[in-house]
Structures are given as structure tokens and as C-alpha cells.
Amino acid sequence: MTAPDPAAVARALAEARPAPFWLDDPARRPRPRPPLTGDEECELLVVGGGYTGLWTALAAKERDPARDVLLLEGRELGWAASGRNGGFCSSSLTHGFANGLARWPGEIDTLEELGARNLDAIEEAVERYGIDCDFERTGEMFCATEPYQAAALRADAEEARRLGVDEGLTFLDRDAVRAEVDSPLFLAGLWDRWGVALLNPARLVWGLARACVQAGVRIHEHSPVRSLTPAGPGRAGLTARTPHGTVRAARAALGTNAFPPLTRGARRRTVPAWDYVLVTEPLTEEQLASVGWRNRQGLGDCGNRFHYFRRTADQRILWGGYDTVYHYGGRLTPAHDQRDATFRRLARHFQRCFPQLAGVRFTHRWGGAVDTSSRFTVFFGTEFDGRLAHASGYTGLGVGASRFGAEVLLDLLDGRDTARTRLELVRSPPRRFPPEPLRWAGIRLTQWSLARADAHAGRRNPWLRALDRAGMGFTS
């Protein structure tokens, strides 16, 4: 296949705004809520105004409408990962069935059941609270672009059938997958029809915030928490300090994810890895017809370095993934949100995947930090004698799993013994990442090895096999 012309790539990117598409919605974007000033008290303090924090605050009021809940966000609600992701809302709590089976084989059935119920509950909440976020239960199709990947997808379908977890799964050969979405790269597909929904991430954030406020949650934006400590001798609870005020709370839940943790227990258990996304201009009916994609399912290819892509409600294509960039020291800075080399690579790959869309331009380009844990799933912890609980490490699947995480946080804070809190996934933390410079070197070696595996029919070198044995291996 002819490589895309560099000039064509440059034209496609020439007018792309360096901003997240979802957040670039002035007609619907709410005004920021005022920052915290002075001193406040509450029963439950929630730190972080993304999905984890908002679901936690809302679920706390659903459990007990009289509970006094206050939420603090350092900038604006949903400005980070919750407003920058691709809008794939997966039922998986374990970053895919294979990862869950490898790590928790004895409870995989429970994890799958809880994940399916969690996605159903998200759909029900969207309807109950009237959240207009373009929620579509279209599923996701994983597409093989190499023969060994096609064989692996067929094997995955057979294994799911053997284990009795194949409901909604459909294997498609080359002709069948191209009848769904016509790309010359696609050799086979595995369509999970029920396990993934697509949505507008920012509108979900704004809808959850509105539901929280209507339930009585107090929300303050532009109120970064600088420290969270026990209230002091003779005082119960915790004290959170912000630049212009303090909060004394009986309990606290943390959902800060990729940002530096406020607790010792979470330190070095995540690293921020940058992911990048492009969105096209709206496609014409003729352009859409040339691709097919009538069923609007989310798509992903099967390499270790994989793309994810989907249609939006206004007929654009979102195209992201492939490059995952870790910066030495893990420092979070807006300068990392833009990376021209990655955007050019993504544009080239888009044009190879859909040559019939030659000439389509991109309107938005952006990046954001993903809170990556060494086991690629969320983990939990408690501190200060159970008065504080934290969740982080969703590794890109937080759109759906964050609601489950919120329920776990409240179970832990309320001292409940539930099917969730009995999970090994909840009770055991992931391995810590090593300190720098070993962390940077290890991540770079892993990325090089994953790329090499993609170029050699998926064969994993000794480094990747060693990570697998240590419980830190990655497969997409």
C-alpha cells in the first residue's frame, strides 16, 4: 500500500485546533463554580471533579440523601482525563477479559458480572437523571490487521465460548468485518455487541455535576487540595487545605488519578502516560457510505501499540492511541498535551486505514495523561484508620470503571462487607514502579519491546516475558 503523502498529512492537520473536541462546546459548557473561600465542614469530602469524584458524590447522596457531601476540584470539572478520552464506556473492570483472567482467574466470573451490572447501572443513571451525553450501546469491534492477530481473535472467541462468557461476542472473517467497516487493513474482527457503550465524555461530566448539585452536593472548582491530614489532637476527622480555605471532614474520598497522590499508599503505584487524539471534520453522506460503519460500533485494532476510533454524534471520526508517551519524572505540564510528531503519525495511519477518505481534514488535536498502574486496572486503598479511601490506576478504562470505583470507595468508607470489597482486585494493590531513572529506562525498554513484538508476529522477547512472570506484563 502506498504511504500517505507528507503534504497530504500536513494539509489534513493544518487547521486542527489544539484543544479537546469534547470540551470545545461553549453552548453546553457550564460556568465554573466558585472556589472555596474560608472554612467549611462536611461529612464526606470528595477530592477530584472527574468521573470518580462525581460518581462518588452522587452515589453517596443516593445511599443517604441526608449525608453532607462537598466536592473540591483543582481546576474545572472534567478538564483532565474525564473530558479528553475517546468516549468508550466499557463494562470491563480489568482492562479486558484476558488481563482479568491472567491476574484473577478465581474471580473472573464475578468481575465480569459486576462489570456488566456496572455498565447497565450507568445506562440507567444516564436515563434517570436526563443526562444528554449521546449514550449509545453499540459495542466495540476489535480488528485484526495481521494474520497472527486474526488467529488470536478466533482463539479468543473460542475460549470465551468454552468458558460460557461469549454472549454478545461475534467473530467476523475478512469479508464480514469489511462489510461492517470497510478498511483494506482489516483481516478479521471480534465484535463485543453489549460490553461497550459510546458517549460524549464532557457532557457526561456536566450531567453528573448537575445531578450532584440537584441532590445537594456542594461543589467548588479552582480549589486544589494542597494537603490532607488528620484534624489534630482531640479532633475527629480530616483537614483539607486549599489556597483560600480549609475543609474539615469526617471522611474523604480521593479520585485524583494521574495527578500526584495526596496519600502515601498510592505513591509510585501509577505513572502518567500521555495519549493523543485527532477528530475529523463532519463527514458527508457519500464519505460515510464509502466506509460503511452503519452500526456505529467503536473500533480498535489489535497491536500492542493500538488505535481506537469511533464515530461521533455529528458524523466525525475520532482517531486516537498508538503512541503512549512517558516523560522523565512523570511531571504533569500542559506542554505535553501537544506533540506534533504523534499527530503526524496518527494522521498517516488514519489515511492508510481509510484511503477512501483522502482529503478529510482534522479539526481538533489534543493529548492527556492516563493514570497507568502496573497491572493496568484500578486499585484501592484506605488510610487514617479507614477515614480516607482512594482509587486510581484505571489505565484508560475509567469512563465505565469509575462508577464501580465510586461504589467501592463508599463501601470502604462505610465499612461494608460486599461482593466488591471481597474481591482480590480491591484488596491487593499493584506493584510499585521503581524510582527514576530506573522507571524511565524500564518504560522505554518496555515500549521498544512491545513495538518489536508488533513487528514480529506478536512474539514477546525475554524482557516482556520477565514482566509477564512478575505480574507487570501488558497486552492490549
Side-chain angles (χ1 to χ4, degrees):
M1 184 178 297
T2 303
D5 176 23
V9 170
R11 286 193 298 272
L13 291 167
E15 298 178 6
R17 294 189 58 188
F21 168 70
W22 311 112
L23 296 172
D24 189 14
D25 190 356
R28 292 176 180 262
R29 186 170 184 163
R31 293 182 178 179
R33 292 165 177 84
L36 175 72
T37 56
D39 298 333
E40 297 278 357
E41 294 186 2
C42 64
E43 185 177 350
L44 174 65
L45 170 65
V46 179
V47 180
Y51 292 138
T52 298
L54 290 166
W55 281 119
T56 300
L58 184 59
K61 296 297 282 188
E62 289 175 340
R63 292 187 181 194
D64 179 4
R67 183 161 10 190
D68 183 19
V69 181
L70 187 149
L71 185 149
L72 297 178
E73 162 56 37
R75 289 182 56 176
E76 294 182 7
L77 299 177
W79 74 274
S82 296
R84 294 169 182 259
N85 61 82
F88 287 68
C89 185
S90 173
S91 66
S92 178
L93 306 176
T94 61
H95 211 284
F97 179 78
N99 190 51
L101 181 64
R103 297 180 190 281
W104 301 285
E107 58 187 32
I108 188 63
D109 290 346
T110 301
L111 288 165
E112 290 290 295
E113 178 186 354
L114 289 173
R117 284 162 47 187
N118 181 65
L119 182 55
D120 289 342
I122 292 173
E123 184 172 15
E124 189 275 333
V126 165
E127 181 176 353
R128 175 156 45 99
Y129 291 110
I131 300 175
D132 179 13
C133 63
D134 301 325
F135 188 97
E136 300 178 273
R137 197 77 175 260
T138 57
E140 182 176 11
M141 190 163 69
F142 302 95
C143 302
T145 59
E146 298 287 345
Y148 79 92
Q149 297 171 0
L153 288 183
R154 188 182 291 276
D156 288 346
E158 293 172 354
E159 178 70 2
R161 188 177 303 113
R162 186 184 70 80
L163 295 172
V165 293
D166 60 328
E167 184 178 1
L169 280 182
T170 304
F171 176 80
L172 301 95
D173 62 16
R174 180 182 181 279
D175 290 341
V177 72
R178 290 194 62 174
E180 287 292 331
V181 183
D182 189 11
S183 168
L185 300 184
F186 295 169
L187 304 179
L190 185 61
W191 187 1
D192 178 359
R193 294 173 180 268
W194 307 114
V196 176
L198 300 180
L199 52 78
N200 181 310
R203 291 185 187 176
L204 177 60
V205 167
W206 300 333
L208 288 173
R210 184 177 65 253
C212 284
V213 171
Q214 291 173 348
V217 177
R218 292 176 285 156
I219 297 177
H220 293 286
E221 297 179 80
H222 295 286
S223 301
V225 174
R226 303 302 191 198
S227 66
L228 188 57
T229 58
R235 293 185 175 184
L238 305 167
T239 298
R241 292 176 174 82
T242 76
H244 303 292
T246 63
V247 177
R248 194 164 76 211
R251 293 178 175 84
L254 300 185
T256 52
N257 296 300
F259 291 86
L262 293 164
T263 63
R264 292 182 179 179
R267 289 172 189 166
R268 281 181 38 206
R269 297 196 191 275
T270 63
V271 295
W274 264 257
D275 180 53
Y276 295 92
V277 189
L278 297 172
V279 166
T280 72
E281 61 192 348
L283 303 185
T284 66
E285 290 299 324
E286 292 76 17
Q287 289 169 327
L288 288 170
S290 73
V291 176
W293 211 345
R294 292 174 296 277
N295 289 309
R296 298 182 58 83
Q297 63 269 68
L299 300 177
D301 53 33
C302 297
N304 291 306
R305 303 174 74 187
F306 61 93
H307 305 89
Y308 54 88
F309 37 121
R310 56 162 293 188
R311 287 176 58 180
T312 66
D314 61 348
Q315 315 308 343
R316 302 168 187 262
I317 293 178
L318 177 145
W319 179 266
Y322 196 78
D323 277 356
T324 302
V325 181
Y326 173 73
H327 297 276
Y328 187 91
R331 184 168 174 263
L332 292 160
T333 170
H336 295 158
D337 293 347
Q338 297 293 316
R339 193 167 190 265
D340 289 344
T342 292
F343 295 135
R344 289 193 296 270
R345 183 175 295 114
L346 285 173
R348 288 197 303 271
H349 292 179
F350 176 87
Q351 293 176 357
R352 287 187 66 236
C353 186
F354 296 121
Q356 62 270 54
L357 298 180
V360 167
R361 294 175 180 263
F362 298 100
T363 63
H364 293 77
R365 54 181 170 87
W366 74 93
V370 176
D371 57 326
T372 304
S373 74
S374 62
R375 68 185 189 195
F376 315 106
T377 64
V378 64
F379 65 92
F380 304 89
T382 60
E383 297 190 32
F384 304 132
D385 298 322
R387 288 172 289 172
L388 180 146
H390 60 83
S392 56
Y394 294 99
T395 318
L397 263 66
V399 179
S402 55
R403 186 195 169 278
F404 170 82
E407 295 284 4
V408 172
L409 288 176
L410 293 173
D411 287 348
L412 294 172
L413 290 173
D414 293 342
R416 293 188 179 187
D417 177 25
T418 68
R420 291 181 291 260
T421 58
R422 288 192 292 271
L423 290 168
E424 183 67 18
L425 177 145
V426 171
R427 293 186 291 110
S428 64
R431 292 178 180 271
R432 284 186 169 91
F433 288 94
E436 300 289 17
L438 294 178
R439 181 191 309 170
W440 182 85
I443 291 172
R444 288 296 298 269
L445 178 56
T446 301
Q447 291 175 327
W448 177 84
S449 299
L450 291 171
R452 185 173 175 82
D454 284 341
H456 292 81
R459 291 190 292 273
R460 298 170 77 79
N461 66 12
W463 174 254
L464 293 180
R465 294 198 297 272
L467 291 178
D468 293 339
R469 290 192 296 271
M472 298 177 72
F474 175 81
T475 61
S476 60

